[in-house]
Amino acid sequence: MTQSERIAGGLINRSQKLTFTWNGTSLSGFEGDTLASALLANGQHLVGRSFKYHRPRGIFSAGSEEPNALVTLGSGAAQEPNTRATMVELADQITAQSQNHRGPLGWDLMTVNDLLSSFIGAGFYYKTFMWPRSFWEKVYEPVIRASAGLGSLSGIADDSSYDHGFLHCDLLIIGAGPAGLMAALTAARAGLQVIVADEDFLPGGRLNAEMYQIDAMPGAAWAAEQVAELAQMDNVRLMSRTTVYGAFDHGIYGALEVAQPGSDSTKPRQIVWRIYTKRTILASGATERSMIFANNDRPGIMQAGAVRSYVNRYGVGPGRHVAVLTNNDDGLRTAEDLRAKGITVTAVLDARKGEAVKNTFGRRRVSGIILQDDTSLAVDCLAVSGGWSPNVHLSSHQRGRPVWDGDIAGFIPGADQSPGMVVCGAAKGVFGLAAVLESGARVAGDIATDLGCHAKIDLPDTSNEAVGTAPIFDLAASKGRAWVDLQNDVTTKDIAIAQAEGFTAAEHMKRYTTLGMATDQGKTANVLGLAVMANLQNQTIAETGTTIFRPPYTPVSIGALAGRARGQNFRPKRLTPSHQWARENGADFVEVGTWIRPQWYKRPGEKGWRDSVDREVRMTRASVGICDVTTLGKIDIQGRNAAEFLNRIYANPFLKVPVGKVRYGLMLREDGVAYDDGTTARLSETHFIMTTTTANAVTVFRNLEFARQCLWPDLDVHLNSVTDAWAQFAVAGPNARALLSKVVDDLDLSNAAFPFMACTDCTVFGGTLARLFRISFSGELAYEVAVPSRYGNAMMAALIKVGHDFDAVPYGTEALSVMRIEKGHAAGNELNGQTTAHMLSMGAMVSQKKDAIGTRLSQRPEMIRDDDLRLMGFRPVDGGDTLIAGAHFLTQGADASMANDQGWMSSVAYSPSLGHAVGLGFLKRGADRIGETIVAHSPVRGGDILVEVCSPHHIDPKGERQRG
Amino acid sequence: MIINHPRLGPRDSAEFVYKGDAGLIERPFGTDTSIEQMHDYAYLRDNTAGAHRELWYHEQGDRSWLIVTRDTVTHEILDVALARPPADKATS
Amino acid sequence: MHSALRIIKEGLTGNKGWKPAWRKPDPRTQYDVIIIGGGGHGLATAYYLAKEHGITNIAVLEKGWLGGGNIGRNTTIIRSNYLLPGNQPFYELSMKLWEGLEQDFNYNAMISQRGVLNLFHSDGQRDAFVRRGNAMRLSGADAQILDAAAIRDICPYLDYDNARFPIKGGIRQPRGGTVRHDAVAWGYARAADRRGVDIIENCEVTGFIMENGHCLGVETTRGTIRAAKTAACVAGSSSKVMAMAGQRLPIESHVLQAFVSEGLKPIIPGVITFGAGHFYVSQSDKGGLVFGGDIDGYNSYAQRGNLPVLHDVCEGGMAIMPMIGRARVLRMWGGIMDMSMDGSPFIDKTQTDGLFFNGGWCYGGFKATPASGFCYAHLIATGRPHEVAQNYRLDRFLGGAAIDEKGQGAQPNLH
């Protein structure tokens, strides 16, 4: 197909022809086209269907306010729905499809909705579909949902790359139209660090679309000259294809930069920038409105300014017989520009003189208009200018309220703007080119002066064109439907229904009719809607009020906002010091918070994970096993008052821990609930090493710093997190001592010399710095040995090598967990933030002779009830049964109801040591119920079984092994 | 948001962890504290709409606990200071 | 009366017969009950006072436009997937009220019970969800534990192969879902109005009338209004309003952001919640992906948030469903949450006779709307708490009876 509607002139590169596909047909355009201008060049006016009535929709605008021309680009992983054709920079080989129709675009079966419009006006769905009740779910809702949305996602992962970046500047200028360029020149010449961002691929704004003269040259050429100057300056970053989408606190702005289509595919498709700026100039221009008359929604009915854009910038004739309808002087210029290109202007209708369009006709494209005297004119395009609404959006992201300005018939920024932001040019309601340029220069000059620079106001020679917008919005004298919101199909009749039902507040009208809730957020519709409501209410638009603009200014892709944080890069990974060794030795890894830990080590011949875990437990309990426990938090605590400090942190006493000893510590939250536990070793009078659980390592350290800096600054104590500084290994099992005797230099490890809960600095393997703690999580004779992290991998290898004579095994988190459940130690499933010391049978540990975090509130009556839950052990009555963590306990014979709930199973494991499953859990009055058979009830997983209540210490209840 | 750290200059608030009302540094201390006193300290808040003194911790930074005075209606930050200035200690 | 027949009749006669959904009366000087707050909970309270207790001489006072608080700016999810005995029966009552609500108040709120799915990513999370699912079943709610294969059947496009935190399964409540949020406010307002309740918009309470420890009414921007019983129902502004009555609350105000995408053809069934990050999503009847994540985390009365949460939420979304990469965020907004000290709400009398309090709903108030109104009405009418709300006492922390679903203690921004 040829570009039949191409006319002379424009800012396109006719030597660079581009081929694209529209609904399966191959078409061509030129470099410098948008998809919309290229479609118009090929005579394609019908480009989509409206949301509700599936009315034919054509290109309405030439910018980001486009409500109609939404298309789907690409397919598969690259499928991009709801894309405004007016903002798609044409590139070779792109494919685009129309949306929201069943069957071909020209014969959409869903247009039946249009015939039913009298019955499906605003809010109709709130009033029906309720009977019979079962029909909603089975009939009505599926039908409604099936008609939802415009374009489709493909359901395939978007594999494009996105990135984030941070920029800092003195002055951010939003918009590179005449006001923005003038502001940028003024500020940049004064020496400010300036960022200019503009959503278009060609800077210049309306200068590219109008026939203005500046300094005796065409406005577009003047803009290009200024852009060239700015591009040369080191203190300016000119960002085209970049939309500032939101204004946030303290001068932080979000911006989306899209790559030039067809450019280097190794670069990110889109970049989200966070721009930190001292000051901001909002020079975002204004958006032209339509007017209200019957059937004002047909393809070919366009903004007058858009008509000028297509004619002047893109060299495209949007029609061959064009009528112009206006309430301001722009309409007249439209006629001039059209005539200058040889396009027939059928009529110029000036609403200020009482002229109007009464109705239109033409199914897939407007083919004629009916005037007030019922004469009809054949036209294939109607250019409408209903006045301009300043683009105040970003000025109200910080809750600034726009105010109505009757002089320009539009909302302008109110007094309560974002701190640091000033608005200029058309965005402030300043019209007329000379005034706009001056406005930009003045605000930039003031900011430069404020920031200590000298600015010179140097204005080019131009003039002010007349604007003269009259507040005429509604010409709908006829009975036909007249559209207010083109995408969401809100007509004046819908607003009348909303008004009749009392939905008259701006927010109620919006929500009831869906006015302004479409993808364009009502950029061209809102003021018309308010005008209609104001008229119905016999009040002014100022009295009617407005809804508030919220970010983003235009929609931003979720992929871009996520940036690189996806897939395996969603969050950072922390690797244990012996990760390399583990990988080389058959470890299967698991995510533990941000850590990656071995969960078991698979050996040849083992069929499932249970084989590996059972073996690791058996071999550890039979001889010796080794586990990297570096992930436990380690906090180095030093100072004259270190013991006093710990005594205020832990619920149990810590003042009198002897040097060379480790003590188990229970930490409460201030509300008295058990928070964290671990062992803390005293290496000297003034030096302790605390361990925390893996999960709470960060927050415990945070809380200790709070206590140190804020609660008790008078204590002499200093803290350092050394979790990553030391690699730590548990060496557990009857042969642990024998193994370590070959590792530790010159240290008597006999029970007498280095008993349970002893600790010391030492060296290993002939001089390597180390720390040794005799502590046990498994219940076995056990030690933990720590070396500087850089030796961690070698240490693991060396321990296994030395342990060869004892059949030493590495074990992972699963075996660790099995052994702690066998032993009856509480861990994460028990310490879930809802557990009291009382429930853990540790109530007596909470010293009442001192004040520590949580001491006082742990004594509240509901937290120390005798009939409350207790941590107990459980085993299946039938030894072959599997236990289910999360099962609730019921007394045998009791109904399954919450009233009969007796507690729950928190942790379970198969115990290879005992040959049956073992569990831990919380049971009401548990301590009194040892030996009782109860029901473990789990309808959601595994069903019900009988279990016997027992001590939580399934193995070695007297602790003889760990002390041996 | 940007917090102007008294030692490090302006920093993005994402480097910080928020705790809450600055009154939390005034913890009653001692075994004679009543449950009611601790309850009021731990649970009750003025929850001011307007200038609010609050605790922020520079976790991704120098680990300072700061008291930031911030308007909870506008988010404007009026003042930033160390939670406990070291002035007293410096002379001892 | 709303019906299909009525719509046809109006359609044939030019839609000229519709009447206001609720009257706009001027306030009288005396009522039996004043409800402060014309949001979902306040309107529901008025409705149930009228319907269940025959008390109709009620003024609902709203400082702005009806339904302009959190009922008008939430992510529309309903569910009763709570763990603790202090919560679960209350939310299950709410679910049952949702299930009959539209026929009850004759307004279609588009209640869509297409399931709420919470993913889990570790054995420990699974165990906690099994415990929760069993608790739900014990109180008569519905719950299922699904493995990854079953989830793949429902949502084939989640990232099963390359997720940083692998999807191991999920807990699903089939009866959970979404509701057209504004319609809830309008439906309750219309139904309460029909029963004689005065709904008075643009009427801000500026003070309480107190005499001898009794609350006798309120001062407002539209004059003095007296009533034997005054019931605050202003979540988001609870501390401000109750400060006028001299009461400090165990509540902080925080901003929660939410996001909606451009309209898309249906692809997401029900509600999906990521278990290893902050992201949940559903798809509205109009096709927008409605999603959100964590609160911003600092005290705020500004109905807007900041960029770190926007990024965090989108990262969570892309982490589990990277097929939404080219869907675009259309609009983001913030609502002010009453974040309580244990993450659970309050429905209680106060220290002042005649003054009642309902608040502390955190980010979960929408789903509670019917039960909150039902139980609050019960308390106001009878003087006794409803049995499923008896734990929502204002003084529960004094005795140590926190209802702490998340186990985070007295740190509101972690709930």
Side-chain angles (χ1 to χ4, degrees):
Chain A
M1 205 184 234
T2 59
Q3 298 178 40
S4 59
E5 307 306 309
R6 205 50 95 172
I7 58 174
L11 306 173
I12 50 171
N13 178 7
R14 290 172 199 256
S15 69
Q16 192 63 50
K17 190 171 169 182
L18 305 170
T19 305
F20 67 101
T21 305
W22 166 247
N23 281 346
T25 304
S26 181
L27 300 173
S28 67
F30 294 121
E31 187 179 83
D33 263 326
T34 61
L35 177 58
S37 68
L39 285 168
L40 288 174
N42 288 282
Q44 299 289 318
H45 275 259
L46 172 62
V47 295
R49 293 277 171 174
S50 64
F51 178 74
K52 188 168 167 185
Y53 300 141
H54 292 254
R55 296 268 293 188
R57 285 289 176 261
I59 294 160
F60 178 73
S61 77
S64 60
E65 69 270 35
E66 178 61 34
N68 287 347
L70 304 179
V71 303
T72 298
L73 295 180
S75 61
Q79 184 165 316
E80 189 174 8
N82 300 340
T83 305
R84 289 154 293 159
T86 50
M87 295 304 285
V88 175
E89 186 175 356
L90 194 67
D92 210 31
Q93 305 305 328
I94 63 171
T95 65
Q97 292 195 309
S98 53
Q99 305 183 147
N100 202 35
H101 49 89
R102 286 190 204 157
L105 176 59
W107 300 100
D108 180 7
L109 296 172
M110 293 298 285
T111 50
V112 63
N113 282 3
D114 199 26
L115 304 174
L116 296 174
S117 65
S118 294
F119 310 105
I120 58 176
F124 79 98
Y125 32 76
Y126 301 124
K127 301 167 186 166
T128 185
F129 299 139
M130 287 173 277
W131 302 273
R133 206 182 124 190
S134 62
F135 267 45
W136 171 250
E137 209 166 304
K138 297 197 175 65
V139 182
Y140 304 135
E141 194 193 7
V143 170
I144 289 177
R145 282 201 176 261
S147 63
L150 294 167
S152 303
L153 293 173
S154 66
I156 298 168
D158 178 9
D159 55 4
S160 303
S161 71
Y162 299 95
D163 211 346
H164 286 177
F166 296 79
L167 294 171
H168 298 259
C169 60
D170 295 323
L171 175 61
L172 168 65
I173 298 171
I174 300 166
L181 285 177
M182 201 63 231
L185 283 169
T186 308
R189 286 170 184 162
L192 297 188
Q193 293 288 331
V194 178
I195 293 174
V196 188
D198 191 278
E199 62 184 359
D200 203 333
F201 58 87
L202 181 68
R206 290 301 302 173
L207 293 177
N208 295 325
E210 308 285 5
M211 301 311 287
Y212 295 135
Q213 290 284 311
I214 306 178
D215 281 347
M217 68 178 109
W222 181 86
E225 210 167 80
Q226 314 316 310
V227 167
E229 179 182 339
L230 291 168
Q232 304 268 318
M233 300 172 81
D234 290 341
N235 57 331
V236 177
R237 183 175 181 130
L238 183 59
M239 304 174 78
S240 53
R241 302 182 183 84
T242 303
T243 303
V244 175
Y245 66 80
F248 300 90
D249 282 318
H250 306 163
I252 301 176
Y253 290 79
L256 177 75
E257 179 176 18
V258 301
Q260 182 176 7
S263 61
D264 185 354
S265 63
T266 63
K267 298 267 176 64
R269 190 173 91 88
Q270 299 181 340
I271 301 173
V272 161
W273 297 98
R274 271 194 232 186
I275 302 175
Y276 295 71
T277 185
K278 291 175 187 160
R279 300 296 175 84
T280 303
I281 292 175
L282 182 63
S284 48
T287 298
E288 196 170 24
R289 300 183 294 260
S290 183
M291 278 190 280
I292 296 166
F293 48 94
N295 293 303
N296 60 349
D297 67 324
R298 300 191 192 281
I301 300 176
M302 306 171 75
Q303 293 167 330
V307 167
R308 296 198 299 280
S309 291
Y310 289 116
V311 168
N312 296 330
R313 173 173 170 180
Y314 297 106
V316 171
R320 298 184 183 198
H321 303 274
V322 183
V324 179
L325 171 66
T326 184
N327 68 359
N328 62 74
D329 293 310
D330 270 7
L332 307 173
R333 286 190 301 122
T334 307
E336 275 173 37
D337 289 3
L338 286 166
R339 288 193 188 106
K341 301 281 180 176
I343 294 172
T344 305
V345 177
T346 313
V348 177
L349 303 162
D350 192 332
R352 294 172 297 183
K353 300 181 195 160
E355 295 163 348
V357 170
K358 195 168 167 186
N359 206 337
T360 74
F361 48 93
R363 187 70 190 145
R364 281 172 242 166
R365 178 176 173 184
V366 66
S367 57
I369 57 175
I370 298 173
L371 305 180
Q372 281 160 307
D373 58 4
D374 288 329
T375 58
S376 60
L377 286 177
V379 301
D380 55 4
C381 176
L382 175 61
V384 185
S385 181
W388 294 76
S389 297
N391 291 328
V392 300
H393 309 69
L394 283 148
S395 78
S396 61
H397 285 181
Q398 308 271 300
R399 307 287 293 171
R401 285 272 169 194
V403 294
W404 182 253
D405 181 344
D407 291 344
I408 64 147
F411 284 97
I412 59 169
D416 51 350
Q417 284 160 31
S418 306
M421 177 187 279
V422 292
V423 188
C424 70
K428 200 186 181 185
V430 174
F431 297 111
L433 182 57
V436 164
L437 290 168
E438 182 175 354
S439 168
R442 295 272 172 226
V443 294
D446 289 349
I447 287 171
T449 308
D450 255 18
L451 295 177
C453 293
H454 177 68
K456 190 160 162 278
I457 306 293
D458 187 7
L459 293 170
D461 181 29
T462 188
S463 59
N464 280 323
E465 76 281 9
V467 183
T469 304
I472 301 167
F473 305 97
D474 190 348
L475 310 173
S478 75
K479 294 210 156 92
R481 278 179 296 162
W483 267 255
V484 175
D485 188 314
L486 291 168
Q487 189 182 137
N488 269 358
D489 280 325
V490 179
T491 68
T492 52
K493 294 188 177 182
D494 296 308
I495 295 174
I497 292 175
Q499 195 264 344
E501 296 191 33
F503 294 96
T504 54
E507 284 281 356
H508 281 154
M509 171 175 70
K510 167 187 157 183
R511 289 155 187 261
Y512 199 64
T513 64
T514 76
L515 168 72
M517 293 171 77
T519 62
D520 59 328
Q521 292 281 285
K523 287 190 174 70
T524 57
N526 284 349
V527 168
L528 293 179
L530 292 169
V532 174
M533 180 59 80
N535 192 34
L536 290 166
Q537 290 279 90
N538 285 318
Q539 61 190 18
T540 64
I541 292 180
E543 286 163 348
T544 307
T546 180
T547 56
I548 197 152
F549 296 106
R550 291 185 177 274
Y553 176 63
T554 52
V556 182
S557 69
I558 294 173
L561 289 165
R564 292 171 184 260
R566 50 184 292 194
Q568 289 297 311
N569 295 326
F570 169 58
R571 289 293 178 261
K573 286 178 184 167
R574 298 175 81 184
L575 305 182
T576 59
S578 64
H579 186 82
Q580 177 77 17
W581 185 91
R583 220 173 52 194
E584 292 161 3
N585 286 274
D588 194 283
F589 292 97
V590 65
E591 302 77 17
V592 181
T594 52
W595 290 97
I596 306 293
R597 297 185 72 179
Q599 50 184 345
W600 57 77
Y601 294 81
K602 189 171 186 234
R603 282 192 177 171
E606 290 175 343
K607 291 193 182 65
W609 66 272
R610 266 282 304 282
D611 287 356
S612 308
V613 173
D614 288 357
R615 169 185 50 76
E616 288 170 15
V617 171
R618 269 195 224 102
M619 291 179 72
T620 299
R621 294 221 187 273
S623 178
V624 61
I626 297 161
C627 182
D628 188 330
V629 294
T630 303
T631 63
L632 294 174
K634 301 187 251 345
I635 300 170
D636 195 290
I637 301 167
Q638 300 192 42
R640 288 196 308 277
N641 303 122
E644 172 64 25
F645 180 75
L646 284 169
N647 202 46
R648 298 182 188 187
I649 294 294
Y650 280 123
N652 51 318
F654 256 79
L655 269 183
K656 293 177 183 159
V657 179
V659 172
K661 283 289 187 185
V662 180
R663 180 166 291 178
Y664 173 82
L666 176 66
M667 221 179 267
L668 308 180
R669 288 192 310 239
E670 194 65 277
D671 68 351
V673 168
Y675 165 49
D676 199 74
D677 69 346
T679 55
T680 289
R682 188 167 204 171
L683 295 176
S684 79
E685 280 298 319
T686 58
H687 188 189
F688 292 81
I689 302 291
M690 171 188 284
T691 62
T692 75
T693 62
T694 300
N696 292 331
V698 171
T699 57
V700 167
F701 185 60
R702 183 188 305 161
N703 294 343
L704 296 193
E705 279 290 4
F706 178 71
R708 181 184 80 87
Q709 292 179 43
C710 298
L711 299 184
W712 304 305
D714 50 322
L715 296 183
D716 180 53
V717 57
H718 295 271
L719 308 171
N720 197 13
S721 169
V722 294
T723 304
D724 295 285
W726 293 84
Q728 193 149 316
F729 300 91
V731 181
N735 284 320
R737 179 181 291 125
L739 190 158
L740 280 174
S741 297
K742 299 184 173 195
V743 171
V744 179
D745 303 330
D746 310 323
L747 195 64
D748 180 358
L749 291 182
S750 69
N751 209 26
F754 200 74
F756 185 56
M757 300 302 262
C759 67
T760 187
D761 286 313
C762 62
T763 60
V764 294
F765 292 117
T768 300
L769 183 66
R771 284 171 179 163
L772 189 66
F773 312 89
R774 192 171 156 194
I775 52 180
S776 176
F777 197 48
S778 58
E780 295 299 324
L781 166 65
Y783 302 80
E784 290 187 13
V785 59
V787 294
S789 287
R790 62 187 179 280
Y791 302 124
N793 204 55
M795 183 73 176
M796 185 71 186
L799 287 169
I800 293 292
K801 191 173 169 200
V802 171
H804 186 74
D805 297 347
F806 310 104
D807 261 351
V809 297
Y811 65 91
T813 53
E814 277 299 319
L816 180 89
S817 176
V818 170
M819 288 191 280
R820 74 97 189 164
I821 294 168
E822 289 178 335
K823 178 62 185 168
H825 284 308
N829 279 15
E830 288 74 37
L831 296 170
N832 65 355
Q834 299 166 330
T835 307
T836 62
H838 200 65
M839 290 164 68
L840 297 167
S841 299
M842 291 183 182
M845 278 180 69
V846 181
S847 169
Q848 296 305 306
K849 294 182 186 147
K850 63 166 187 173
D851 186 9
I853 301 291
T855 305
R856 184 52 53 215
L857 293 180
S858 74
Q859 299 305 304
R860 288 175 290 170
E862 291 296 325
M863 296 172 70
I864 49 173
R865 291 164 61 114
D866 287 337
D867 60 350
D868 206 353
L869 300 151
R870 281 297 173 108
L871 181 67
M872 301 304 297
F874 301 88
R875 55 179 173 241
V877 170
D878 177 342
D881 278 348
T882 306
L883 297 177
I884 298 291
H888 284 241
F889 299 128
L890 298 169
T891 306
Q892 274 185 282
D895 293 341
S897 71
M898 196 161 257
N900 292 328
D901 189 8
Q902 297 287 296
W904 73 96
M905 191 87 79
S906 52
S907 296
V908 300
Y910 174 77
S911 167
S913 317
L914 297 171
H916 59 75
V918 293
L920 299 175
F922 294 95
L923 180 66
K924 280 188 181 166
R925 296 182 298 100
D928 305 333
R929 298 171 73 170
I930 288 182
E932 185 181 335
T933 295
I934 58 174
V935 178
H937 173 66
S938 183
V940 299
R941 182 170 187 252
D944 292 7
I945 60 163
L946 293 175
V947 297
E948 184 188 329
V949 185
C950 59
S951 157
H953 309 295
H954 296 281
I955 280 195
D956 191 26
K958 293 190 175 138
E960 285 158 351
R961 295 189 196 178
Q962 63 195 17
R963 293 169 194 281
Chain B
M1 294 195 289
I2 295 172
I3 293 173
N4 194 8
H5 191 300
R7 283 181 172 146
L8 302 172
R11 296 279 165 160
D12 194 297
S13 63
E15 295 175 10
F16 294 78
V17 172
Y18 181 80
K19 185 171 178 74
D21 192 297
L24 288 168
I25 76 171
E26 308 295 341
R27 181 186 183 278
F29 183 69
T31 52
D32 55 350
T33 308
S34 68
I35 283 178
E36 288 73 18
Q37 280 174 298
M38 278 312 288
H39 165 269
D40 291 0
Y41 162 78
Y43 288 104
L44 299 185
R45 301 282 188 274
D46 289 336
N47 195 22
T48 311
H52 185 244
R53 295 179 72 245
E54 58 197 26
L55 288 155
W56 292 77
Y57 175 54
H58 198 201
E59 187 152 270
Q60 311 294 324
D62 75 340
R63 295 161 19 198
S64 289
W65 277 94
L66 306 179
I67 292 180
V68 176
T69 307
R70 189 178 55 91
D71 188 316
T72 55
V73 177
T74 64
H75 295 171
E76 183 188 3
I77 291 180
L78 308 165
D79 185 59
V80 185
L82 294 177
R84 296 278 194 187
D88 303 339
K89 276 190 172 178
T91 54
S92 64
Chain C
M1 186 70 184
H2 281 163
S3 68
L5 214 60
R6 174 78 194 281
I7 286 176
I8 291 167
K9 176 176 168 279
E10 285 294 336
L12 294 173
T13 56
N15 283 303
K16 298 206 189 303
W18 299 112
K19 292 285 179 293
W22 59 91
R23 296 166 293 125
K24 312 236 173 207
D26 287 324
R28 287 183 272 128
T29 55
Q30 179 80 42
Y31 289 91
D32 293 340
V33 178
I34 292 168
I35 294 167
I36 308 171
H41 291 226
L43 294 166
T45 304
Y47 172 68
Y48 291 116
L49 274 170
K51 175 170 179 267
E52 302 292 327
H53 305 281
I55 299 172
T56 57
N57 185 22
I58 301 170
V60 178
L61 309 182
E62 167 54 48
K63 73 174 172 185
W65 43 280
L66 181 149
N70 291 332
I71 189 83
R73 55 185 82 250
N74 62 71
T75 49
T76 79
I77 295 168
I78 61 168
R79 56 186 172 88
S80 63
N81 57 355
Y82 281 73
L83 168 69
L84 298 175
N87 275 329
Q88 174 58 36
F90 173 84
Y91 287 99
E92 181 54 24
L93 170 65
S94 208
M95 184 62 85
K96 291 199 170 77
L97 290 168
W98 282 121
E99 286 171 331
L101 185 61
E102 294 164 312
Q103 291 72 29
D104 189 32
F105 67 19
N106 186 24
Y107 208 76
N108 188 353
M110 284 168 268
I111 291 164
S112 171
Q113 292 179 287
R114 300 187 306 144
V116 170
L117 174 67
N118 291 63
L119 301 174
F120 60 76
H121 309 266
S122 71
D123 291 353
Q125 269 189 322
R126 178 201 59 210
D127 296 349
F129 279 165
V130 170
R131 179 188 169 202
R132 174 185 302 254
N134 285 327
M136 291 164 67
R137 295 280 277 266
L138 281 177
S139 77
D142 55 325
Q144 306 165 335
I145 296 289
L146 304 180
D147 60 16
I151 289 171
R152 202 188 274 257
D153 287 342
I154 304 172
C155 313
Y157 42 73
L158 299 186
D159 187 350
Y160 298 95
D161 305 321
N162 188 38
R164 171 72 177 79
F165 298 101
I167 295 165
K168 295 197 167 176
I171 183 171
R172 183 162 185 269
Q173 183 177 28
R175 287 159 67 234
T178 55
V179 181
R180 171 84 182 96
H181 57 322
D182 287 324
V184 177
W186 302 337
Y188 274 123
R190 184 173 170 277
D193 177 89
R194 295 289 186 276
R195 289 174 184 268
V197 173
D198 279 1
I199 298 165
I200 301 158
E201 295 174 86
N202 300 306
C203 179
E204 183 171 3
V205 170
T206 55
F208 291 91
I209 305 166
M210 300 283 203
E211 273 174 31
N212 305 322
H214 291 260
C215 177
L216 303 178
V218 293
E219 303 289 351
T220 79
T221 51
R222 296 178 68 177
T224 302
I225 307 174
R226 290 178 175 267
K229 295 174 179 176
T230 301
C233 202
V234 290
S237 301
S238 291
S239 297
K240 281 197 278 189
V241 170
M242 295 306 285
M244 292 190 279
Q247 298 191 18
R248 283 177 94 208
L249 299 175
I251 285 174
E252 291 179 2
S253 294
H254 285 260
V255 60
L256 176 69
Q257 298 191 60
F259 312 91
V260 65
S261 80
E262 297 174 337
L264 298 160
K265 293 295 178 198
I267 191 161
I268 302 211
V271 182
I272 302 170
T273 302
F274 183 26
H278 304 115
F279 178 75
Y280 61 88
V281 64
S282 66
Q283 191 167 10
S284 76
D285 281 308
K286 290 198 161 320
L289 306 182
V290 181
F291 60 102
D294 204 4
I295 57 175
D296 269 40
Y298 43 80
N299 282 53
S300 177
Y301 284 94
Q303 286 174 325
R304 58 185 167 81
N306 276 297
L307 284 171
V309 164
L310 169 66
H311 288 204
D312 183 60
V313 169
C314 291
E315 288 167 6
M318 288 298 282
I320 56 163
M321 46 175 73
M323 64 98 188
I324 60 173
R326 293 192 181 213
R328 301 189 194 88
V329 176
L330 173 64
R331 189 173 172 88
M332 47 195 284
W333 66 94
I336 304 307
M337 310 292 118
D338 265 14
M339 296 301 297
S340 72
M341 290 289 154
D342 58 357
S344 294
F346 307 97
I347 301 176
D348 202 359
K349 299 177 188 176
T350 68
Q351 303 152 18
T352 307
D353 285 344
L355 179 58
F356 299 81
F357 179 74
N358 174 319
W361 293 99
C362 300
Y363 43 77
F366 177 68
K367 73 177 98 65
T369 305
S372 171
F374 195 87
C375 295
Y376 201 25
H378 185 279
L379 175 73
I380 294 164
T382 68
R384 297 183 309 276
H386 189 280
E387 64 168 336
V388 300
Q390 62 190 334
N391 299 293
Y392 295 151
R393 295 169 57 105
L394 266 171
D395 65 355
R396 62 177 178 262
F397 303 117
L398 208 48
I403 312 167
D404 190 350
E405 289 272 334
K406 275 185 150 183
Q408 296 291 356
Q411 182 68 41
N413 61 351
L414 299 182
H415 287 293

